[in-house]
């Protein structure tokens, strides 16, 4: 992905090296790694609690030792990349919202290490990137990008851009009112049915990340050969069925919260191909997802 010379977003809070506090937070405890991986690329932190409640335990977070603001060249490059991708989402979604007769209000990106406090509560980096509608911020520990490559087998700069764009996709859902409606619906359902709503939210965020890429390419021509394939490969690696099969040896469809690999890849690609904001996962049958 060609981003040389592109502007960096100012809507960024760099909390790296700061203490996340010692309040009780969501964690994974002794859950097997599949329990962690099924949370990756999640949306609202409240969703994570409701969707995997029986698997998640409360734990005390230990304050992180500060790093004195000293970061490696690679870490700084990753932070710059995050700011540039966020700036791209601002440019794209401002234009798309204008076309819809709306005004886009960008989210804030919070970079952190170890643990962090948000309006949705405290969280450790083990949760993975997440969006909190309570403060309209997306939270990322950039060490997650290394985990993507080494643990998930999802390398590449556009795969990383997809992660950011997915969380911004949840912000788009929030601005359009979809997120709140879905949360209200989920609160009235049993866990299995609430998980089905969560899958629709996640697939829609995948779709919106594809819409972003569609207009990013149209406006800036930044995508290079293989970029889209990187994102699609990443979507495959984080499908609920793939993660569960890989880590557990079996799958439990009723516990899916993000969608299968095939679904995630298809909705991402559909967003990229069409750029159509009239499309939504919430007017589709389960079979059409």
């Amino acid at each position: 992905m060609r981003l040389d010379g592109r502007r960096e977003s100012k809507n960024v809070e760099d909390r790296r090296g700061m203490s996340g506090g010692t309040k009780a937070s969501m964690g994974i405890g002794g859950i097997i790694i599949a329990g962690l991986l099924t949370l990756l690329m999640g949306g609202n932190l409240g969703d994570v609690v409701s969707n995997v409640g029986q698997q998640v335990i409360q734990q005390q977070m230990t304050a992180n030792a500060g790093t004195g603001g000293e970061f490696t060249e690679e870490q700084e490059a990753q932070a710059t990349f995050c700011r540039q991708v966020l700036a791209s989402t601002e440019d794209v979604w401002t234009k798309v919202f204008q076309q819809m007769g709306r005004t886009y209000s960008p989210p804030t990106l919070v970079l952190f290490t170890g643990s962090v406090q948000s309006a949705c509560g405290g969280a450790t980096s083990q949760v993975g990137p997440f969006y909190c509608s309570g403060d309209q911020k997306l939270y990322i520990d950039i060490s997650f990008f290394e985990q993507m490559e080494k643990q998930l087998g999802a390398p590449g700069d556009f795969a990383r851009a997809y992660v950011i764009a997915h969380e911004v996709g949840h912000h788009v859902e929030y601005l359009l009112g979809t997120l709140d409606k879905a949360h209200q619906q989920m609160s009235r359902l049993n866990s299995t049915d609430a998980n089905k709503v969560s899958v629709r939210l996640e697939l829609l965020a995948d779709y919106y990340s594809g819409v972003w890429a569609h207009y990013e390419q149209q406006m800036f021509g930044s995508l290079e050969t293989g970029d889209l394939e990187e994102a699609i490969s990443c979507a495959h690696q984080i499908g609920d069925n793939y993660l569960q099969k890989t880590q557990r040896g079996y799958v439990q469809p009723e516990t899916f919260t993000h969608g299968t690999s095939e679904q995630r890849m298809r909705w991402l690609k559909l967003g990229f191909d069409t750029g159509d904001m009239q499309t939504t996962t919430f007017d589709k049958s389960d079979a059409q997802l």
Side-chain angles (χ1 to χ4, degrees), residues 9 16 34 57 61 63 77 81 107 120 145 171 179 189 216 231 257:
S9 174
R16 291 177 296 163
I57 63 171
M61 289 194 300
F81 177 81
C120 297
F145 295 142
H171 180 65
L179 197 62
L189 299 173
E216 162 65 23
T257 58

Side-chain angles (χ1 to χ4, degrees), residues 7-12 82-88 90 106-107:
R7 74 176 183 90
E8 300 177 27
S9 174
K10 302 298 183 182
N11 296 308
V12 178
C82 289
R83 291 190 290 265
Q84 288 178 317
V85 172
L86 185 65
S88 167
E90 293 166 354

Side-chain angles (χ1 to χ4, degrees), residues 3-274:
L3 292 176
D4 292 346
R6 293 281 293 275
R7 74 176 183 90
E8 300 177 27
S9 174
K10 302 298 183 182
N11 296 308
V12 178
E13 294 179 16
D14 194 339
R15 303 187 198 172
R16 291 177 296 163
M18 297 173 61
S19 170
T22 56
K23 294 182 179 180
S25 70
M26 183 179 63
I28 61 168
I31 302 173
I32 59 176
I33 193 168
L36 162 63
L37 294 179
T38 54
L39 300 179
L40 295 181
M41 299 203 44
N44 185 287
L45 189 56
D47 291 346
V48 179
V49 175
S50 63
N51 294 337
V52 297
Q54 73 273 22
Q55 295 180 334
V56 179
I57 63 171
Q58 291 295 317
Q59 65 181 17
Q60 290 296 108
M61 289 194 300
T62 302
N64 299 308
T67 63
E70 297 178 359
F71 304 105
T72 66
E73 183 176 345
E74 174 62 21
Q75 289 171 331
E76 284 302 287
Q78 295 284 20
T80 296
F81 177 81
C82 289
R83 291 190 290 265
Q84 288 178 317
V85 172
L86 185 65
S88 167
T89 66
E90 293 166 354
D91 295 338
V92 167
W93 286 114
T94 293
K95 178 179 179 179
V96 172
F97 269 56
Q98 286 175 345
Q99 293 173 343
M100 295 190 296
R102 294 172 174 264
T103 300
Y104 181 67
S105 175
T108 296
L109 169 65
V110 178
L111 300 175
F112 72 96
T113 50
S115 62
V116 70
Q117 291 292 326
S118 75
C120 297
T124 69
S125 57
Q126 292 173 317
V127 172
F130 66 91
Y131 171 73
C132 174
S133 61
D135 53 22
Q136 297 180 49
K137 296 179 180 180
L138 47 145
Y139 294 79
I140 296 178
D141 183 333
I142 57 177
S143 65
F144 174 73
F145 295 142
E146 182 178 356
Q147 296 172 20
M148 282 176 55
E149 180 173 352
K150 295 183 177 180
Q151 297 180 18
L152 294 179
D157 55 1
F158 202 70
R160 297 192 293 269
Y162 161 54
V163 170
I164 298 170
H166 175 95
E167 300 308 331
V168 174
H170 285 303
H171 180 65
V172 172
E173 292 174 339
Y174 170 75
L175 294 178
L176 296 179
T178 308
L179 197 62
D180 286 344
K181 289 180 182 178
H183 289 165
Q184 292 171 12
Q185 182 181 4
M186 292 168 67
S187 69
R188 300 189 296 267
L189 299 173
N190 60 45
S191 61
T192 298
D193 290 335
N195 286 345
K196 293 181 179 180
V197 177
S198 175
V199 166
R200 291 175 184 272
L201 280 175
E202 297 301 330
L203 294 180
L204 186 57
D206 282 336
Y207 178 80
Y208 286 153
S209 66
V211 170
W212 160 74
H214 173 94
Y215 288 105
E216 162 65 23
Q217 179 66 358
Q218 188 179 95
M219 294 167 63
F220 302 103
S222 63
L223 273 66
E224 301 175 289
T225 301
D227 277 347
L228 182 60
E229 288 74 15
E230 288 177 0
I232 291 176
S233 175
C234 181
H236 175 272
Q237 299 298 92
I238 56 176
D240 285 330
N241 61 320
Y242 180 85
L243 293 172
Q244 289 187 4
K245 181 67 174 179
T246 300
Q247 301 300 329
R248 302 176 183 175
Y250 62 93
V251 299
Q252 294 178 290
E254 70 277 6
T255 67
F256 290 174
T257 58
H258 290 64
T260 66
S261 295
E262 190 276 334
Q263 288 174 322
R264 302 200 69 168
M265 291 188 295
R266 178 153 50 86
W267 280 96
L268 168 62
K269 183 66 162 50
L270 183 63
F272 179 79
D273 288 342
T274 67

